Amino acid sequence: MITTTGIDFSIIAPPAYLKDFVAQEPARVHHVAAQRVLSDESYRAFFAHEAERGAEIIIDNGLFDLGYALPAESLVEAALAVSAREIILPDVMRDGTATLKASEKAAREIRELSGDAFRLCAVLHAADDDEWLRIYDAFVTSDWAGAIALPASRRPDPDEQLCRTRWLATAYLQSHGLVDDLLIYRLLGLGRTGHLELIEQREHEWISSVDGAAPVILGAMGVALLPEGPYEKPSTPRIERLGPIPEDRFDLIRKNISVVRAAAGSTVTIAEEHR
């Protein structure tokens, strides 16, 4: 069954373009970079305002952008600054055991600093499927994880591993009765099939949100996302290296965002008050 509410899509854009592409109507869910909250006053003010408008703010730990996760003290400071409801715990790419250890440590430290003020989100990494199942069980049975996030699948996987192909992983959880109704499930980033994966993921009404910068980056490069594909992503710069975006690309970026939201089944639009 396809959920009627769809999957919330949080746009990632350079700080200079938050009002142009990221502001939501209605305000729903934002994945927010902790390091930018701490270093950029305008970025911090924008998401604090979105929180006031009712958005659920999720603080990302910085790993994807920085190559390392920020310490618990910094994550709590960032979360408090924008009235966040959730913190994504530190993770280690493709290493479930190290991720579990880092998550447990950070969860303990965050709770010592802030009690139960924030929901804590664990990221499901693993080197192989046995580890994937073991780490998933550890998260579900823990007393600290309130959400679980599944990273994007970015490379072809001929062996069809749960730890490498996200749409196989979610289908497995569904078919084996492993979805925990007490947890929130999120997708981190768009993978190698881009927005097309979301059409499949909508079948799982328990998936709450996904974030991604692809609609903005590709639109800035003049590349349109096609509603029914194919999805062919050229080599792209990281979002922080995108540079100024010409205004004549704004409409294309907004169309790309609409295509992704349609694939996700989301009716959220860019807030008109900012445009």
Side-chain angles (χ1 to χ4, degrees):
M1 179 179 68
I2 294 179
T3 175
T4 55
T5 56
I7 300 171
D8 284 314
F9 181 48
S10 171
I11 303 298
I12 307 300
Y17 303 98
L18 297 178
K19 293 181 179 180
D20 298 295
F21 308 126
V22 176
Q24 297 176 354
E25 184 58 51
R28 291 281 299 164
V29 176
H30 289 293
H31 289 238
V32 177
Q35 70 276 10
R36 288 206 176 275
V37 170
L38 297 175
S39 64
D40 187 326
E41 183 178 353
S42 62
Y43 185 94
R44 181 168 61 250
F46 174 86
F47 286 109
H49 178 62
E50 286 291 283
E52 290 175 359
R53 296 181 60 236
E56 181 173 23
I57 306 297
I58 302 165
I59 290 292
D60 203 344
N61 63 48
L63 175 71
F64 186 77
D65 298 320
L66 302 174
Y68 60 89
L70 295 182
E73 294 85 352
S74 297
L75 296 177
V76 169
E77 181 183 354
L80 290 171
V82 292
S83 300
R85 300 186 199 173
E86 181 173 315
I87 295 173
I88 298 179
L89 296 168
D91 52 319
V92 181
M93 296 287 191
R94 295 198 170 196
D95 190 331
T97 300
T99 293
L100 178 59
K101 183 178 180 180
S103 295
E104 288 176 330
K105 178 177 182 291
R108 182 174 62 253
E109 293 172 347
I110 290 171
R111 283 188 166 180
E112 288 173 353
L113 291 165
S114 60
D116 294 324
F118 307 108
R119 182 192 307 120
L120 304 180
C121 179
V123 184
L124 187 52
H125 288 291
D128 55 42
D129 283 1
D130 287 340
E131 185 178 61
W132 191 91
L133 290 166
R134 179 172 60 83
I135 299 302
Y136 177 76
D137 182 69
F139 288 158
V140 170
T141 58
S142 75
D143 63 355
W144 44 265
I148 292 179
L150 286 75
S153 305
R154 303 191 182 279
R155 295 186 178 89
D157 175 37
D159 295 328
E160 297 190 336
Q161 303 169 88
L162 302 178
C163 63
R164 297 288 176 267
T165 304
R166 185 166 60 186
W167 57 88
L168 293 177
T170 54
Y172 182 92
L173 294 178
Q174 178 83 49
S175 64
H176 287 74
L178 295 175
V179 178
D180 190 320
D181 292 340
L182 298 179
L183 296 177
I184 291 175
Y185 291 81
R186 306 194 186 282
L187 309 179
L188 294 183
L190 297 180
R192 62 179 179 272
T193 60
H195 61 290
L196 303 179
E197 178 194 351
L198 303 181
I199 298 173
E200 296 182 48
Q201 296 290 12
R202 281 173 60 196
E203 297 178 4
H204 307 308
E205 59 183 8
W206 40 273
I207 294 176
S208 179
S209 71
V210 62
D211 68 309
V216 175
I217 297 173
L218 292 175
M221 296 171 64
V223 178
L225 294 180
L226 305 178
E228 298 180 2
Y231 180 78
E232 297 177 359
K233 184 181 177 183
S235 177
T236 58
R238 295 178 68 88
I239 192 73
E240 64 271 16
R241 297 180 181 176
L242 188 59
I245 301 175
E247 282 200 31
D248 61 6
R249 295 283 169 82
F250 281 23
D251 283 346
L252 177 57
I253 291 172
R254 289 176 180 135
K255 287 178 182 177
N256 282 352
I257 292 171
S258 294
V259 166
V260 176
R261 285 202 164 117
S266 170
T267 58
V268 170
T269 61
I270 299 172
E272 292 290 340
E273 67 179 276
H274 293 300
R275 292 172 58 181

